[in-house]
């Protein structure tokens, strides 16, 4: 039995128009995300075979592959729920996401400062990667991270709660090479209710996320 499975989309392919067209959503979920799920499962099988045979010549490549595919699966699973057709705007207490809004202001000085930093982080990621808003449990604050490919530049233990996919497969069919335009458009579909739920759940678990004083 496969360890990882492709989650269903929480909406239909056309739900995020005009920000993201249906063809991109279909290809992105059904092909690209599915490939990460398969890659993670295949790599686990290859590692099991290596253990059984005591054959560790390829261990470095297998460990890197597992991190790559598993991170791709995790980030995409968050990504789909981070978006909604009736999202966007600024998180406000009036919408029931006041704790998240306060945390953003406390961590970044203002919503505008946070938005600018995450936009730039996502849009300037070299090659393929992600811009991520994450909860960092040691400080109890929110931080912005750049994720190259599906790895690297990440504070260990930080928990992603909002992710912007800046890989070309996320936007090229619609936005061509204008990655900045795509990232700017993404703010119109952010599901702040989902981000707020992730923030609240992560804060509640902060004391068990890291073995630290």
């Amino acid at each position: 039995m496969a360890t990882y499975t492709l989650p269903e989309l929480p909406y239909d392919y056309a739900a995020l128009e005009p920000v993201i067209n249906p063809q991109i959503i279909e290809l992105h979920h059904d092909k690209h995300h599915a490939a990460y799920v398969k890659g993670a499962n295949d790599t686990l099988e290859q590692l099991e075979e290596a253990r059984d045979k005591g054959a560790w010549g390829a261990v470095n490549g297998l460990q890197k592959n597992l991190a790559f595919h598993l991170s791709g699966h995790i980030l995409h699973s968050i990504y789909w729920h981070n978006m909604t057709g009736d999202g966007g705007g600024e998180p406000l207490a009036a919408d029931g996401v006041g704790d998240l809004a306060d945390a953003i202001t406390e961590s970044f000085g203002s919503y505008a400062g946070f938005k600018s930093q995450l936009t730039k982080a996502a849009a300037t990621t070299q090659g393929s990667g992600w811009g991520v808003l994450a909860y960092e449990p040691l400080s109890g604050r929110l931080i912005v991270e750049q994720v190259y490919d599906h790895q690297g530049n990440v504070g260990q233990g930080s928990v992603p709660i909002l992710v912007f996919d800046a890989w070309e497969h996320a936007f090229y069919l619609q936005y061509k090479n204008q990655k900045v335009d795509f990232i700017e458009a993404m703010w119109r579909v952010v599901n702040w209710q989902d981000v707020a739920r992730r923030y609240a759940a992560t804060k509640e678990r902060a004391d068990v996320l890291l073995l630290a004083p």
Side-chain angles (χ1 to χ4, degrees):
M1 181 179 296
T3 301
Y4 302 108
T5 58
L6 180 67
E8 293 185 4
L9 285 171
Y11 35 70
D12 62 42
Y13 296 138
L16 302 179
E17 285 195 294
V19 173
I20 309 178
N21 68 38
Q23 184 183 15
I24 288 178
I25 296 295
E26 181 176 5
L27 289 171
H28 196 168
H29 176 267
D30 296 3
K31 301 298 182 181
H32 290 281
H33 189 171
Y36 299 128
V37 173
K38 183 179 186 302
N41 287 323
D42 288 350
T43 306
L44 286 177
E45 290 182 2
Q46 292 163 8
L47 284 165
E48 181 180 5
E49 182 179 356
R51 290 194 300 273
D52 290 343
K53 295 180 178 179
W56 296 111
V59 65
N60 286 341
L62 289 173
Q63 294 292 165
K64 185 174 182 179
N65 284 344
L66 180 61
F68 176 83
H69 290 297
L70 180 54
S71 293
H73 175 37
I74 291 169
L75 289 168
H76 281 93
S77 296
I78 297 169
Y79 180 67
W80 304 124
H81 287 274
N82 274 171
M83 298 183 290
T84 178
D86 58 358
E90 181 176 347
L92 300 170
D95 298 322
V97 294
D99 286 348
L100 173 65
D102 290 345
I104 288 173
T105 299
E106 182 178 348
S107 297
F108 300 99
S110 66
Y111 172 75
F114 153 67
K115 182 179 179 182
S116 178
Q117 183 177 346
L118 181 54
T119 298
K120 293 298 183 182
T124 61
T125 302
Q126 294 177 337
S128 300
W130 300 71
V132 175
L133 173 66
Y135 179 80
E136 196 285 288
L138 275 182
S139 64
R141 64 182 289 130
L142 296 173
I143 60 174
V144 165
E145 299 177 323
Q146 282 182 321
V147 178
Y148 294 103
D149 290 335
H150 292 146
Q151 306 176 51
N153 254 31
V154 175
Q156 299 300 313
S158 62
V159 181
I161 63 173
L162 173 63
V163 299
F164 279 12
D165 192 342
W167 284 64
E168 286 190 346
H169 65 237
F171 64 88
Y172 201 86
L173 287 175
Q174 184 173 355
Y175 292 85
K176 307 307 180 192
N177 63 337
Q178 300 303 313
K179 179 161 62 174
V180 173
D181 291 347
F182 171 66
I183 300 302
E184 290 286 356
M186 274 289 299
W187 291 102
R188 293 158 51 192
V189 294
V190 173
N191 184 348
W192 291 116
Q193 299 293 329
D194 180 68
V195 180
R197 284 192 294 270
R198 294 177 188 277
Y199 172 66
T202 303
K203 274 190 67 177
E204 291 175 1
R205 296 178 56 240
D207 60 337
V208 297
L209 290 175
L210 289 175
L211 294 175

